[in-house]
């Protein structure tokens, strides 16, 4: 049986003005954003719509902003296309919280509160244990793994064939980038991030997130969510709680996640939220699959037309 999967983007998908058209057109989107300031503690609408991009790119603001925008996009989509059975969900890194919100594991305010705390914990860990990240393009996994063992860097995102992200202390990543180029990488791009996300340098953030997650009630997911840390479909609230903690200082297994969704019968992916980063990755994993997106009126109308 053919299935549809909804996937939600993470950090690095943000742009100034994201979600504005939905906010101005649909009450469901307006209500979500207008109800976000009390939980976030600052004017999210101003940051999302006016930036500047330098502010929007700071982890503390990026994560709540992307989560809220994805929730707006999902709310509008749901109003136009109620989810039938057989859907599955996934989100890349931060996007996992959007997927869990969509699956009914927690309500919007709880999700935003968790995302805000996650951003604070990651920012604090990044300040205490400074690091960076780099994308390695065109080098196979075994070679990148070997280079990381030699330099002390870590592979933290298995995004698609030939696209891996490494992280660690700045010198370790610089050394690994240099070795990767020497050994045939097509390109190595240092990422504009404030820390070594998903690496062991995030252990303190992971511990703090564990304490935070223990304070909230999580419900059983209404739809299976393929989780970052093991790429497996998960519905149990206790399993989800554990995996959200592991996610922070362990790699994102995105390529494996998409392959498992394909094996499960998925033939259409809808990226819901800002940008098309995940669409590009999925296309590299499986060229033949159908990929749609929902981030503005035009993409919403095109997606609904394709689904009918």
């Amino acid at each position: 049986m053919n299935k549809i999967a909804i996937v939600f983007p993470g950090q690095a998908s943000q742009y100034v003005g994201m979600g504005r058209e939905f906010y101005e057109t649909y009450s469901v989107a307006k209500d979500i954003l207008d109800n976000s300031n009390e939980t976030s503690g600052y004017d999210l609408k101003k940051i999302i719509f006016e930036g500047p991009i330098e502010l929007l790119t700071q982890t503390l603001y990026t994560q709540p902003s992307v989560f809220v925008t994805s929730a707006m996009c999902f709310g509008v989509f749901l109003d136009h296309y109620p989810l039938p059975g057989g859907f599955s969900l996934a989100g890349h890194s931060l996007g996992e919280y959007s997927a869990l919100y969509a699956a009914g594991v927690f309500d919007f305010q709880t999700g935003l509160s968790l995302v805000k705390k996650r951003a604070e914990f990651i920012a604090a860990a990044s300040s205490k244990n400074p690091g960076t990240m780099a994308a390695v393009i065109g080098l196979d996994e075994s070679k990148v793994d070997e280079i990381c063992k030699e330099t002390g860097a870590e592979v933290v995102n298995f995004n698609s064939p030939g696209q891996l992200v490494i992280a660690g202390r700045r010198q370790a990543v610089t050394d690994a980038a240099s070795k990767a180029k020497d050994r045939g990488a097509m390109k190595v791009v240092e990422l504009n991030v404030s820390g070594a996300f998903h690496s062991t340098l995030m252990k303190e953030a992971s511990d703090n997130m564990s304490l935070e997650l223990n304070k909230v009630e999580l419900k059983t997911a209404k739809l299976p969510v393929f989780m970052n840390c093991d790429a497996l479909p998960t519905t149990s609230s206790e399993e989800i709680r554990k995996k959200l903690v592991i996610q922070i200082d362990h790699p994102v297994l995105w390529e494996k996640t998409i392959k498992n969704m394909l094996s499960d019968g998925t033939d259409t992916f809808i990226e819901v939220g800002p940008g098309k980063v995940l669409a590009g990755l999925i296309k590299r994993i499986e060229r033949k699959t159908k990929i749609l997106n929902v981030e503005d009126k035009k993409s919403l109308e095109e997606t609904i037309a394709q689904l009918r």
Side-chain angles (χ1 to χ4, degrees), residues 8 32 110 112 123 164 167 199 225 227 264:
F8 294 91
I32 286 170
T110 302
L112 179 55
L164 303 169
S199 76
V225 179
M227 304 287 283
D264 189 47

Side-chain angles (χ1 to χ4, degrees), residues 167-206:
R169 299 198 183 277
R170 186 165 291 279
Q171 192 58 55
V173 172
T174 301
D175 292 347
S178 176
K179 283 177 183 278
K181 287 174 195 163
D182 290 345
R183 294 182 199 179
M186 281 166 48
K187 197 162 54 166
V188 180
V189 183
E190 185 167 340
L191 303 183
N192 181 22
V193 292
S194 58
F197 307 152
H198 297 290
S199 76
T200 51
L201 295 180
M202 293 291 116
K203 176 71 170 73
E204 190 173 299
S206 179

Side-chain angles (χ1 to χ4, degrees), residues 53-67:
I53 190 64
E54 292 77 18
L55 185 66
L56 187 58
T57 304
Q58 288 178 28
T59 295
L60 280 174
Y61 303 113
T62 309
Q63 295 193 19
S65 297
V66 171
F67 174 78

Side-chain angles (χ1 to χ4, degrees), residues 27-289:
S27 60
V28 63
K30 187 176 189 305
D31 289 347
I32 286 170
L33 185 52
D34 286 350
N35 287 321
S36 66
N37 283 1
E38 195 176 331
T39 303
S40 66
Y42 43 81
D43 192 346
L44 260 180
K45 182 169 84 167
K46 190 171 192 297
I47 293 170
I48 292 170
F49 291 164
E50 298 175 28
I53 190 64
E54 292 77 18
L55 185 66
L56 187 58
T57 304
Q58 288 178 28
T59 295
L60 280 174
Y61 303 113
T62 309
Q63 295 193 19
S65 297
V66 171
F67 174 78
V68 168
T69 304
S70 295
M72 289 163 63
C73 294
F74 181 71
V76 173
F77 175 66
L78 208 56
D79 265 6
H80 288 77
Y81 195 85
L83 297 189
F87 263 70
S88 56
L89 303 159
H92 191 286
S93 187
L94 160 71
E96 193 156 85
Y97 284 79
S98 306
L100 293 168
Y101 161 67
V105 174
F106 41 66
D107 62 22
F108 173 73
Q109 299 297 350
T110 302
L112 179 55
S113 175
L114 287 171
V115 165
K116 182 174 182 261
K117 286 292 186 184
R118 181 182 186 270
E120 288 169 3
F121 296 148
I122 286 174
S126 300
S127 179
K128 196 170 178 180
N129 292 299
T132 190
M133 303 172 77
V136 180
I137 316 292
L139 207 58
D140 70 47
E141 206 175 293
S142 61
K143 284 186 181 172
V144 177
D145 201 40
E146 190 180 286
I147 288 165
C148 284
K149 286 192 173 99
E150 292 169 16
T151 57
E154 303 169 44
V155 186
V156 294
N157 287 4
F158 296 83
N159 279 336
S160 66
Q163 200 208 94
L164 303 169
V165 175
I166 59 173
R169 299 198 183 277
R170 186 165 291 279
Q171 192 58 55
V173 172
T174 301
D175 292 347
S178 176
K179 283 177 183 278
K181 287 174 195 163
D182 290 345
R183 294 182 199 179
M186 281 166 48
K187 197 162 54 166
V188 180
V189 183
E190 185 167 340
L191 303 183
N192 181 22
V193 292
S194 58
F197 307 152
H198 297 290
S199 76
T200 51
L201 295 180
M202 293 291 116
K203 176 71 170 73
E204 190 173 299
S206 179
D207 292 342
N208 286 332
M209 201 67 214
S210 176
L211 297 173
E212 200 60 37
L213 282 159
N214 284 334
K215 296 176 189 173
V216 301
E217 182 195 352
L218 302 182
K219 297 186 175 73
T220 301
K222 293 173 185 167
L223 297 165
V225 179
F226 285 72
M227 304 287 283
N228 286 184
C229 68
D230 59 6
L232 296 176
T234 310
T235 54
S236 153
S237 59
E238 287 316 303
E239 282 296 304
I240 287 166
R241 197 186 305 272
K242 286 179 202 162
K243 290 180 184 184
L244 281 175
V245 173
I246 294 167
Q247 185 231 61
I248 291 182
D249 62 348
H250 283 72
V252 174
L253 307 181
W254 189 250
E255 183 181 349
K256 194 174 176 185
T257 294
I258 298 304
K259 285 182 173 174
N260 284 351
M261 294 176 110
L262 289 164
S263 297
D264 189 47
T266 299
D267 72 340
T268 301
F269 290 88
I270 308 169
E271 182 169 5
V272 174
K276 295 180 184 173
V277 171
L278 299 184
L281 296 179
I282 294 166
K283 211 61 178 169
R284 283 197 281 275
I285 295 165
E286 176 49 77
R287 291 201 165 279
K288 292 176 186 169
T289 194

